[in-house]
Amino acid sequence: GAGVSQTPSNKVTEKGKYVELRCDPISGHTALYWYRQSLGQGPEFLIYFQGTGAADDSGLPNDRFFAVRPEGSVSTLKIQRTERGDSAVYLCASSLETGECYTFGSGTRLTVV
Amino acid sequence: GENVEQHPSTLSVQEGDSAVIKCTYSDSASNYFPWYKQELGKGPQLIIDIRSNVGEKKDQRIAVTLNKTAKHFSLHITETQPEDSAVYFCAASIRHSSGGSYIPTFGRGTSLIVHP
């Protein structure tokens, strides 16, 4: 596609529920990144995929967060037992070159009530 | 302390004036420094980047300078226009974990307001 697509654009969920956030990167981009952005802050790194494998997941805050990219294209970020502190905009980016020239999606705004 | 520090947090200028945003970073091995512009409700958009083998790069009204010795880099916008109003983020590639990849780490952002 023309850009990075993220769905849904907005998600409201109840505390304790499970959510999945989807990212469809630019076709041909092998590197895919998830970031989390809280209000008034810069994007915070969560996890990076090179192809199908998670090359660096050191940014995931705890074991409630998990991400997959089974076919090296679309990625899903999964959050179990959501907490109010998980509320943020979750951004996905993809690139041809590892660590450079990211293109970001518009993000998914997650609100945990 | 933070890996990437950005100043100022807000910047208000008159149309036509110049705007300068400054960042410092901690990892001397960092070699890639992108700048992003984020408008309300949208994802960050890459506007310019610089690699460590270059001291300055310019693209029309936007320029970035890098001082590797001092570990700081700056964004310069000349002849500002109201449509330049947005939040600007600097980033520096930093290794997030031992043996891990170099991943851009972002500053906290600068809210630029250009008054017509």
Side-chain angles (χ1 to χ4, degrees):
Chain A
V4 177
S5 176
Q6 290 189 248
T7 55
S9 55
N10 281 283
K11 176 71 176 178
V12 180
T13 190
E14 292 181 348
K15 179 176 178 294
K17 297 290 188 182
Y18 167 84
V19 296
E20 290 189 353
L21 312 179
R22 176 188 168 107
C23 173
D24 204 333
I26 292 174
S27 179
H29 280 192
T30 57
L32 184 146
Y33 312 82
W34 284 98
Y35 282 80
R36 176 168 70 176
Q37 187 174 27
S38 300
L39 194 63
Q41 302 292 320
E44 174 192 2
F45 169 71
L46 295 176
I47 187 170
Y48 151 57
F49 287 90
Q50 182 62 41
T52 60
D56 191 331
D57 63 359
S58 62
L60 295 176
N62 51 60
D63 61 6
R64 295 186 298 107
F65 288 75
F66 189 71
V68 296
R69 194 185 185 199
E71 298 178 356
S73 178
V74 171
S75 176
T76 304
L77 178 66
K78 308 180 180 192
I79 310 174
Q80 298 177 321
R81 305 183 303 279
T82 51
E83 300 176 357
R84 292 197 178 88
D86 298 335
S87 296
V89 175
Y90 288 81
L91 293 164
C92 176
S94 68
S95 69
L96 275 172
E97 297 288 336
T98 299
E100 298 191 358
C101 302
Y102 288 6
T103 299
F104 277 91
S106 294
T108 294
R109 180 175 297 280
L110 175 66
T111 304
V112 182
V113 297
Chain B
E2 292 182 24
N3 290 319
V4 179
E5 294 192 8
Q6 181 171 349
H7 300 280
S9 57
T10 58
L11 180 58
S12 183
V13 299
Q14 289 296 128
E15 182 177 2
D17 288 350
S18 294
V20 180
I21 302 170
K22 299 182 178 182
C23 289
T24 60
Y25 60 98
S26 57
D27 189 343
S28 57
S30 295
N31 60 3
Y32 177 65
F33 307 90
W35 286 88
Y36 285 84
K37 176 183 180 182
Q38 187 173 30
E39 297 174 322
L40 200 60
K42 298 184 179 180
Q45 178 187 7
L46 179 68
I47 55 172
I48 195 167
D49 58 10
I50 191 168
R51 292 171 178 78
S52 58
N53 58 346
V54 175
E56 183 174 358
K57 183 176 179 180
K58 190 172 182 180
D59 182 3
Q60 299 182 347
R61 297 187 297 109
I62 295 173
V64 57
T65 59
L66 171 65
N67 183 328
K68 282 216 73 179
T69 303
K71 290 190 282 188
H72 65 70
F73 55 114
S74 302
L75 178 71
H76 305 251
I77 306 174
T78 58
E79 302 170 28
T80 53
Q81 301 167 2
E83 51 265 40
D84 294 332
S85 297
V87 179
Y88 291 80
F89 292 98
C90 64
S93 57
I94 289 176
R95 196 191 293 270
H96 275 250
S97 61
S98 177
S101 304
Y102 278 87
I103 305 290
T105 297
F106 287 76
R108 289 195 171 197
T110 297
S111 178
L112 174 65
I113 302 168
V114 181
H115 299 280

